[in-house]
Amino acid sequence: MPILEKLTQQSQARHWTDSIPLEFHYTAGVAGEEFRRELRDNGRFLVSKCSKCKSTYIPARMYCPSCFIEMKDQFPIDKPGYVYSFTSVNRDRAGADTELPITVGLVKFEGVKGGIVHLLEKGDSDRLSIGMKVTPSLKNPSERTGAITDILAFKPISTESSSKTVEVGKAERWEVGAGENQARSLLHSIEESGYPVEEDEMTISSLRSKISKGELLTREEDRLLHRLGDKAREWRKAVKSSSETEPADTLSG
């Protein structure tokens, strides 16, 4: 039946079942290829740094998403990461039930934007916490292929979620009550201010975890929180002042 011929009865319509083979190949890109090569050959993570805004990104990328300029400064980092968030699932990627829960987390690095989503080892303590320092567990060099699966998992290197280890019983504690409410209010103010926290992200993550659990802050942590609060207030003032500036008040060129 010609394709332009009008059908007058439903029984005239015909169909058949078949499949069309499709295959897709995605490249990692120039910066992505360099990131994978560094992971394969040296077991390190490659980052990119913007020469204009000075922001550092992981994984390495070619262009700064804020300044839209090419980032030619790339270098590996050796410092440990920290758990920004995590969850446990009972099914694998194919949807099949697993014998034991699988823990997946977002690992970030202090002073670096971006992060890596991967498996987390719970360690001997069988406990994970936000802000806990972790380091990658890699395949043997001869087994690496330059894939993200060259990382077996991230394993804890410290059970302390704080950026500074404080001996239990020796840490100075500040009083509960009004102080705890003040800490919650101050943390909320910092998060709502829009202050760019990349450089202090690990510290804020650790404080957020302790405050949400109702744990007491040490005096040092209290001072850190107030110092971040001062930065957030200055940031809010600067943003407000910038938005209120008239075009005639600015210099051209």
Side-chain angles (χ1 to χ4, degrees):
M1 179 180 294
I3 193 170
L4 297 180
E5 185 175 341
K6 184 178 180 180
L7 300 180
T8 58
Q9 297 180 5
Q10 292 183 354
S11 59
Q12 293 177 314
R14 296 290 185 269
H15 75 280
W16 67 91
T17 302
D18 204 342
S19 62
I20 301 177
L22 297 176
E23 187 174 350
F24 296 91
H25 293 278
Y26 294 95
T27 64
V30 176
E33 181 69 22
E34 293 174 350
F35 176 85
R36 291 167 178 257
R37 188 179 296 113
E38 181 67 24
L39 177 61
R40 180 194 64 191
D41 297 342
N42 301 311
R44 299 183 300 184
F45 298 137
L46 194 69
V47 300
S48 299
K49 185 173 183 178
C50 177
S51 59
K52 184 176 181 180
C53 67
K54 307 303 181 184
S55 295
T56 305
Y57 297 91
I58 187 172
R61 57 183 67 185
M62 280 197 68
Y63 296 95
C64 176
S66 299
C67 305
F68 305 107
I69 65 173
E70 184 176 359
M71 294 188 291
K72 299 181 179 180
D73 187 10
Q74 295 183 341
F75 53 90
I77 56 173
D78 295 315
K79 58 184 177 182
Y82 66 94
V83 178
Y84 183 79
S85 65
F86 66 93
T87 187
S88 294
V89 295
N90 296 292
R91 294 183 179 180
D92 58 20
R93 295 176 59 187
D97 293 336
T98 59
E99 294 183 4
L100 296 173
I102 300 174
T103 304
V104 182
L106 171 59
V107 176
K108 286 178 169 284
F109 298 82
E110 193 167 9
V112 181
K113 293 184 177 181
I116 298 176
V117 177
H118 215 289
L119 299 175
L120 297 177
E121 290 183 4
K122 292 186 177 181
D124 297 334
S125 63
D126 199 35
R127 293 178 58 189
L128 286 173
S129 61
I130 302 298
M132 176 180 287
K133 291 184 178 180
V134 291
T135 186
S137 176
L138 304 176
K139 291 182 179 179
N140 294 326
S142 60
E143 299 176 340
R144 298 176 197 160
T145 61
I148 197 67
T149 49
D150 287 349
I151 308 171
L152 298 175
F154 282 89
K155 58 183 180 181
I157 59 175
S158 171
T159 57
E160 295 291 337
S161 60
S162 173
S163 58
K164 292 189 177 181
T165 303
V166 182
E167 292 184 28
V168 178
K170 294 184 179 180
E172 294 183 279
R173 303 287 182 174
W174 62 311
E175 295 183 357
V176 194
E180 182 179 354
N181 293 332
Q182 182 184 18
R184 291 180 183 274
S185 176
L186 190 53
L187 179 62
H188 178 73
S189 175
I190 295 171
E191 294 174 334
E192 291 295 318
S193 68
Y195 168 67
V197 299
E198 285 79 14
E199 296 296 329
D200 304 295
E201 197 166 22
M202 184 175 179
T203 300
I204 291 180
S205 178
S206 174
L207 294 175
R208 184 189 299 114
S209 177
K210 295 192 70 172
I211 293 173
S212 64
K213 295 177 182 178
E215 297 180 5
L216 301 179
L217 300 182
T218 65
R219 291 190 182 277
E220 177 62 26
E221 290 170 335
D222 182 36
R223 284 192 288 267
L224 282 172
L225 183 62
H226 279 79
R227 188 154 58 244
L228 290 172
D230 292 338
K231 289 182 179 180
R233 279 191 290 271
E234 291 299 322
W235 173 267
R236 191 183 293 110
K237 290 179 182 178
V239 171
K240 182 179 180 181
S241 175
S242 177
S243 63
E244 293 176 349
T245 302
E246 296 293 336
D249 296 333
T250 60
L251 297 176
S252 60

